[in-house]
Amino acid sequence: MRLRALLDTDALGLRLLGGEEELDRTVRGVMTTDLRDPSRYLSGGELVLTGLAWHREPADSEPFARLMAAAGVAAVAAGTAEFGYVPEDFVEACARHRVPLFSVAQQVAFGTITEHVVRQVSGERAGDLAAVVDRHRRLMTSGPAGGGPDVVLDLLGSDLDLRAWVLSPTGRAIAGSAAAGPELPPQIRTRLAAEHLSALRTGRRSPHRVTVEGVTYSLFPIRSAPKDTPAAAPVDQRASVLADWLLAVEADAGDWPEERLDLLQGVTQLISVERERRDAARTVRRRLAQEVLELVQAGAAPAEIAARLRVAAPVLLPGLGAAPHWQVVVARVEWTDPQGEKAESGAVAQSLLEEILLAPDAAAGPDAAEPADRIAVAHSGDEAIALVPLPAVAAEHDGSEQGLLADTLLTAVREPLAAGLADDGRLAIGVSAAVHSAEGLRGALEEARHARRVAAARTGVVCAAGHQELASHVLLLPFVPDDVRRAFTARLLDPLRDYDHKHRAELIATLEAFLDCDGSWTRCASRLHLHVNTLRYRVGRIEQLTGRDLSRLEDKLDFFLALRMS
């Protein structure tokens, strides 16, 4: 459709402020944003709707207009709710860059314009799917009358014979069409999510095509602008990659006509409405977590914290009769910028922690049926903190094994998150033990924070540690400087590694097994399937190469710590 047709539609409340000579431009899609630089979300031909929240001073107009022109947008439509008018400096900047500019009447919602544009574009290019846009309002409603993204996916299946699924950044299944049949197996969803994040990080243009187990899928990002970052603040694009849903279509889009590609882009815009609705539903739980944690960190009286917890419990576990136990989970994401300095983001850690806690394998026990109702994550500075309730009746059955376990928390999400964080990002998570009262929350928070530091001291892109791992020797390891670690482990283990490499021996593996068996010759020989004399020979060689005596407790401890730090 052309810009002129939009201007002629009175119901849209558009008034032309500049660019009359450009009204024959073709509109291929629509995007709503208040980011200062939304260019990575643009592919050209969009009508960009903005509420001008990014406009803080006249100097902000020029770069925004320049970016819009460079991205090849069809036009910009500015809302007037922020100022009551469109600033003249923005009108002039758009005119300089030949970007058509409209103002939007305050009584007209951006959703109305979005619905109209998508309907017209889809209707012109794929009449078979005009019904997709007719269901737009159903997509935005909750309850049995809604249907969410499944409505759109069902139409893709019935009208275009396309099997499609909506997945989270970690591969969690969000929706699927009835025509798609059984849910995608976890290993395929994980692989698709990892390939999608890797493609986004390397800047490949969507749709991304990938073949898994002989089947080709085309992956379309479902964009969502970060909500917890002030509009005027710069957005780390690496963080936004980790927030996108994806539409996985069982087809090779490489030879699709432009019309069908445009249609699928329109479908992703409709599904993004549901994403925003679900994100809004988390607002209450985030606020509850923030209030409780602020009290805990401020050293408030336990009675005051307990009162706030009584407010939070019915929201997080509706219908629960008994007061719950609680766990605390702390997460931190560290990015390395091009200059080699560390940059943290509490907001992206919050988003990732919510996603991890929603993963099917994240929770254990009978209370794991509806994890979405239990997510309460706040962020403070550079870390995210989750308050996870556990029904008291479940926790009392087997205290330490109930709830979240660090060693299984990342099982379902490690591969895609590693692809999204790539070579310049790390995620570390710490999990506390369950506590049963407000008095225990402060200790649980510190315990989770220390467990996170233990996790951060390990190698790997995505790491987690739990309270069970905070033994006395482990408590010290995160605070040993890196150069000290390297020198200590090299002095003890490098002679053994060199010997293993030259002689194809297994001295390192033998040392680990010997220490794990508490120095028992019989048990260690049995574990390694060796004769005791062979084991004695290997241990003797270890002592000869290192100058240590494995009968001495001090030397055993040094070897144990060197292996842990390596």
Side-chain angles (χ1 to χ4, degrees):
M1 66 178 303
R2 300 188 185 278
L3 290 176
R4 193 179 305 279
L6 287 177
L7 190 61
D8 293 339
T9 306
D10 294 338
L12 299 183
L14 296 176
R15 184 167 66 90
L16 184 64
L17 299 181
E20 184 173 2
E21 67 282 3
E22 306 289 342
L23 289 179
D24 286 328
R25 289 188 183 187
T26 299
V27 179
R28 299 176 54 195
V30 62
M31 176 190 176
T32 301
T33 184
D34 273 317
L35 294 176
R36 296 181 69 178
D37 179 9
S39 55
R40 79 173 288 267
Y41 298 100
L42 299 169
S43 57
E46 295 92 346
L47 172 66
V48 175
L49 304 174
T50 178
L52 297 176
W54 50 267
H55 188 282
R56 289 292 178 266
E57 56 183 0
D60 293 335
S61 294
E62 175 65 19
F64 189 90
R66 184 174 63 252
L67 288 167
M68 294 302 96
V73 304
V76 174
T80 55
E82 184 81 7
F83 303 101
Y85 59 94
V86 178
E88 188 61 28
D89 51 86
F90 186 47
V91 176
E92 294 172 355
C94 287
R96 281 194 297 273
H97 291 279
R98 298 179 64 85
V99 176
L101 178 63
F102 300 96
S103 66
V104 182
Q106 290 192 28
Q107 68 271 20
V108 177
F110 281 180
T112 301
I113 300 174
T114 299
E115 181 174 347
H116 178 84
V117 172
V118 176
R119 180 188 292 117
Q120 295 302 316
V121 171
S122 299
E124 291 171 4
R125 293 177 175 167
D128 290 346
L129 280 182
V132 170
V133 184
D134 293 334
R135 308 291 278 275
H136 187 203
R137 293 193 184 279
R138 289 189 63 190
L139 199 66
M140 299 177 64
T141 62
S142 58
D150 302 271
V151 172
V152 178
L153 299 186
D154 285 345
L155 287 169
L156 285 177
S158 62
D159 291 6
L160 289 184
D161 196 26
L162 290 175
R163 287 158 45 90
W165 301 264
V166 176
L167 305 178
S168 77
T170 63
R172 179 172 53 87
I174 295 169
S177 63
E183 183 178 299
L184 281 174
Q187 67 272 19
I188 294 181
R189 289 189 274 109
T190 298
R191 173 76 182 281
L192 293 178
E195 293 286 346
H196 174 69
L197 289 174
S198 178
L200 289 177
R201 286 299 306 273
T202 55
R204 302 207 314 259
R205 190 179 182 88
S206 67
H208 315 126
R209 290 174 289 156
V210 59
T211 300
V212 182
E213 298 184 6
V215 179
T216 299
Y217 299 86
S218 296
L219 310 179
F220 297 80
I222 299 172
R223 307 296 192 187
S224 63
K227 298 297 188 299
D228 293 329
T229 303
V235 177
D236 193 326
Q237 303 299 347
R238 298 170 300 185
S240 62
V241 162
L242 294 164
D244 289 341
W245 282 1
L246 68 138
L247 174 65
V249 180
E250 189 181 293
D252 187 343
D255 56 357
W256 280 7
E258 193 73 18
E259 291 79 4
R260 178 169 287 198
L261 289 172
D262 287 347
L263 174 64
L264 265 293
Q265 295 294 351
V267 168
T268 64
Q269 292 174 5
L270 294 183
I271 296 174
S272 70
V273 177
E274 172 69 5
R275 171 67 188 272
E276 293 179 5
R277 186 185 69 80
R278 295 191 186 189
D279 285 347
R282 294 183 183 178
T283 302
V284 173
R285 293 192 289 273
R286 284 179 170 181
R287 186 181 303 119
L288 286 171
Q290 193 74 45
E291 292 173 352
V292 171
L293 291 168
E294 285 176 357
L295 289 175
V296 170
Q297 295 185 96
E304 186 178 356
I305 299 174
R308 196 60 57 88
L309 287 175
R310 285 193 293 272
V311 173
V315 175
L316 300 178
L317 285 175
L320 185 68
H325 288 51
W326 301 90
Q327 276 184 287
V328 176
V329 183
V330 173
R332 179 169 168 175
V333 174
E334 290 186 347
W335 300 107
T336 302
D337 66 19
Q339 285 72 43
E341 298 179 357
K342 297 291 185 181
E344 295 87 11
S345 172
V348 71
Q350 179 185 48
S351 177
L352 285 181
L353 189 52
E354 287 173 336
E355 176 61 33
I356 289 167
L357 295 178
L358 279 169
D361 295 335
D367 58 311
E370 296 294 337
D373 292 334
R374 306 188 307 135
I375 305 304
V377 185
H379 75 84
S380 175
D382 58 10
E383 68 179 2
I385 305 169
L387 192 63
V388 181
L390 304 171
V393 63
E396 288 166 359
H397 288 164
D398 187 6
S400 64
E401 296 302 320
Q402 290 296 321
L404 306 177
L405 301 175
D407 56 352
T408 60
L409 190 63
L410 300 174
T411 301
V413 299
R414 189 183 303 275
E415 181 182 347
L417 285 184
L421 291 162
D423 298 327
D424 55 357
R426 296 192 73 232
L427 170 67
I429 294 177
V431 183
S432 79
V435 296
H436 66 278
S437 66
E439 289 87 345
L441 273 181
R442 180 63 181 269
L445 176 58
E446 293 307 315
E447 185 175 63
R449 280 175 168 162
H450 193 83
R452 187 206 62 76
R453 289 193 288 269
V454 170
R458 296 172 174 165
T459 58
V461 175
V462 182
C463 299
H467 63 95
Q468 303 94 332
E469 301 175 64
L470 302 186
S472 58
H473 60 276
V474 180
L475 287 171
L476 302 175
L477 297 186
F479 308 103
V480 178
D482 288 343
D483 55 345
V484 176
R485 289 168 181 268
R486 287 191 292 268
F488 181 73
T489 58
R491 186 169 61 254
L492 277 178
L493 302 183
D494 277 2
L496 306 183
R497 292 190 180 114
D498 291 342
Y499 189 89
D500 282 348
H501 179 71
K502 292 177 181 177
H503 301 280
R504 296 186 178 182
E506 296 183 355
L507 297 187
I508 291 288
T510 301
L511 175 61
E512 290 176 333
F514 187 74
L515 295 175
D516 196 42
C517 292
D518 299 323
S520 169
W521 297 98
T522 304
R523 282 194 291 129
C524 184
S526 176
R527 173 180 293 191
L528 296 175
H529 306 290
L530 298 174
H531 191 278
V532 172
N533 288 342
T534 303
L535 176 62
R536 291 185 183 277
Y537 171 80
R538 288 188 181 180
V539 170
R541 177 65 68 182
I542 291 171
E543 293 175 333
Q544 180 185 15
L545 290 170
T546 61
R548 300 298 183 108
D549 182 353
L550 277 168
S551 66
R552 287 168 41 87
L553 176 61
E554 294 88 343
D555 288 343
K556 285 181 181 178
L557 182 59
D558 281 352
F559 277 122
F560 180 82
L561 291 174
L563 289 169
R564 288 299 297 267
M565 288 193 292
S566 66

